[in-house]
Amino acid sequence: MRSSKHQPESDWPANDMRPTGPGKGRITFWVITTILSLMIIIAGGTYLYVWNGLRPTSGGETVQVELKKGASPFQFAEVLEDQGIIRNAFLFKYYLRYKNEGPHFQAGVYELQPGMDKQAIIAKLNAGEILKAETIRFTIPEGFTVQQIADKLSEAGYGDKAAFLAAADKEQVWPDTDASKNIPKDGKLRHRLEGYMFPETYELPKDSKPEAIIDRMLQELDHKLDGLPENWEEALTENGINFHQMMTIASLIEREVVVDEERPIVAGIIYNRLKKGMPLQIDATVQYLLDKQKERLMESDLQVDSPYNTYKIKGLPPGPIASPSLKSIEAALFPTKTDYYYYVTKKDGSHEHLFAETLKQHNQNIAKSNQTAKQ
């Protein structure tokens, strides 16, 4: 009997497909759900990171933080984090960029406190609410010399006298000022900046160096000159002098005259004597050479050999002998035209002068002044 081979029969119909696992729709659903969940987690985490990084720090004591001149707001953010004012400098930088803040931050020292809101910090920096630096305040009287200025500052504890004089005498350019550029290179000048440091009341940072104090005083002269009539530079040409000579004449007037109304008259006398080639014979120029001012000059004092001694030289001394006031500068620029060549101080305590055209009249005025001398 033949044996026959039989193929095993399948339990499934020939035209049916076997199951291949979960449906494609279910897989897609889980993929999308997973991605969305991850995005939500990432977004939430990022939000929490940013929120936490930008929220105020824990409170603490007020600290002083300096935004240095030239430093960027982003560099300052690092300082704020180091001082505990903000939590995260990296996030704060981008917050500033997002809000377009920072360009108007003002340099200086600020008092900030941990726990401050970021907007409060930004507002304070924009407003420039910096701490007022401890300052020095001093007044330089009209007619003071460089030596007297150095003495005053030293006595007030505002610097070393020798250092101040060295800075004032150093041959250098002061880039922040214009008037000082007219000072000639002249070895005969006793003090290079004599007459150019304007007499005024000043307030400067306490730690100001001599150079900073001098620079500020030189700038003040520029400022005062800006307030003169517009034609003042033309007056130099009309008077036949340069700027330095004008300042020299103004200093002579300052040391010789007390009454403002007389300043232009004395200026006119100086110009008259210069034009005629007469020695100026101004006592103040001799006093300038003395270590200590004298109530009355002796004949021997008038014989001192110096380019500043206007009893022995003709013309002007090498430079100013003191810091002139604006009134004296105006008088040197706009003198009163007279025929006077002489003046003598009244001795009645009025500080006024008697003026004369001739030596004879001058001698009469001297006698008159002696007769009315205040006892």
Side-chain angles (χ1 to χ4, degrees):
M1 189 172 174
R2 294 183 180 179
S3 61
S4 57
K5 295 181 180 179
H6 297 281
Q7 296 294 329
E9 297 182 357
S10 172
D11 294 333
W12 295 89
N15 60 345
D16 285 346
M17 295 183 65
R18 299 184 181 217
T20 57
K24 289 184 178 180
R26 185 178 295 179
I27 294 173
T28 303
F29 170 78
W30 282 111
V31 169
I32 293 173
T33 301
T34 302
I35 292 174
L36 288 174
S37 297
L38 287 173
M39 290 177 64
I40 291 171
I41 292 171
I42 293 171
T46 302
Y47 172 80
L48 288 174
Y49 171 71
V50 173
W51 173 81
N52 183 65
L54 291 178
R55 70 187 178 93
T57 60
S58 301
E61 294 184 1
T62 300
V63 294
Q64 293 183 4
V65 186
E66 182 181 8
L67 172 54
K68 295 183 178 180
K69 191 173 182 179
S72 72
F74 302 139
Q75 291 172 322
F76 189 52
E78 302 286 351
V79 178
L80 293 177
E81 182 181 344
D82 292 341
Q83 293 293 328
I85 305 301
I86 61 174
R87 291 179 180 272
N88 190 308
F90 175 77
L91 292 176
F92 191 75
K93 293 175 189 178
Y94 279 94
Y95 182 79
L96 292 178
R97 185 171 292 172
Y98 172 70
K99 290 289 187 178
N100 195 28
E101 296 285 2
H104 301 295
F105 287 178
Q106 299 182 41
V109 178
Y110 292 84
E111 277 194 341
L112 301 172
Q113 188 173 14
M116 289 180 67
D117 180 76
K118 57 185 177 298
Q119 285 302 134
I121 297 172
I122 292 171
K124 199 162 190 174
L125 295 171
N126 278 329
E129 296 178 11
I130 61 176
L131 281 177
K132 189 174 182 182
E134 194 173 355
T135 60
I136 56 175
R137 186 180 175 86
F138 59 91
T139 299
I140 302 302
E142 297 167 346
F144 255 38
T145 64
V146 167
Q147 187 81 25
Q148 288 173 312
I149 294 172
D151 286 336
K152 185 176 181 66
L153 293 175
S154 177
E155 290 167 4
Y158 296 154
D160 179 69
K161 176 182 176 180
F164 186 89
L165 288 174
D169 290 340
K170 184 179 179 181
E171 190 168 308
Q172 64 175 331
V173 175
W174 298 86
D176 297 330
T177 70
D178 291 323
S180 64
K181 296 173 184 176
N182 293 282
I183 301 173
K185 292 183 178 181
D186 189 343
K188 295 179 180 179
L189 290 172
R190 191 178 188 198
H191 292 295
R192 187 171 182 274
L193 295 182
E194 191 73 81
Y196 284 79
M197 292 184 282
F198 197 82
E200 185 60 274
T201 296
Y202 295 93
E203 188 169 5
L204 290 93
K206 187 177 181 180
D207 58 352
S208 294
K209 302 297 182 186
E211 289 80 5
I213 296 175
I214 291 171
D215 192 57
R216 175 65 185 85
M217 297 175 73
L218 294 175
Q219 289 179 43
E220 188 62 24
L221 174 59
D222 286 353
H223 175 68
K224 290 297 190 294
L225 292 173
D226 287 340
L228 290 173
E230 292 184 1
N231 66 330
W232 73 264
E233 290 181 282
E234 297 174 10
L236 295 176
T237 304
E238 292 175 5
N239 293 322
I241 57 172
N242 59 35
F243 182 86
H244 185 70
Q245 292 169 326
M246 182 276 292
M247 290 296 292
T248 301
I249 293 171
S251 74
L252 301 179
I253 297 167
E254 187 63 45
R255 293 305 296 259
E256 288 283 286
V257 186
V258 174
V259 180
D260 286 344
E261 291 76 12
E262 293 185 348
R263 295 181 194 273
I265 300 174
V266 172
I269 293 174
I270 292 173
Y271 283 113
N272 286 345
R273 294 179 75 97
L274 288 174
K275 289 175 182 177
K276 201 169 184 177
M278 298 172 63
L280 295 180
Q281 296 183 317
I282 293 177
D283 289 359
T285 62
V286 180
Q287 290 277 17
Y288 178 66
L289 299 172
L290 305 177
D291 293 330
K292 188 175 181 180
Q293 300 289 294
K294 289 185 176 182
E295 184 72 24
R296 183 178 179 181
L297 292 174
M298 306 301 291
E299 186 63 32
S300 58
D301 295 323
L302 305 182
Q303 301 305 314
V304 62
D305 188 17
S306 169
Y308 283 90
N309 185 353
T310 55
Y311 277 86
K312 297 194 71 174
I313 66 163
K314 290 184 179 180
L316 293 169
I321 61 171
S323 294
S325 63
L326 188 61
K327 289 288 186 182
S328 291
I329 292 174
E330 290 174 335
L333 287 168
F334 308 107
T336 299
K337 298 187 184 304
T338 68
D339 292 326
Y340 296 142
Y341 286 89
Y342 304 89
Y343 61 91
V344 62
T345 305
K346 294 181 181 179
K347 295 183 179 180
D348 58 2
S350 66
H351 300 293
E352 295 177 345
H353 291 86
L354 296 171
F355 303 100
E357 296 179 12
T358 65
L359 181 58
K360 180 179 180 180
Q361 292 173 348
H362 179 57
N363 289 330
Q364 291 173 346
N365 285 340
I366 292 174
K368 187 185 296 183
S369 176
N370 291 333
Q371 289 173 1
T372 59
K374 190 175 181 181
Q375 299 299 323

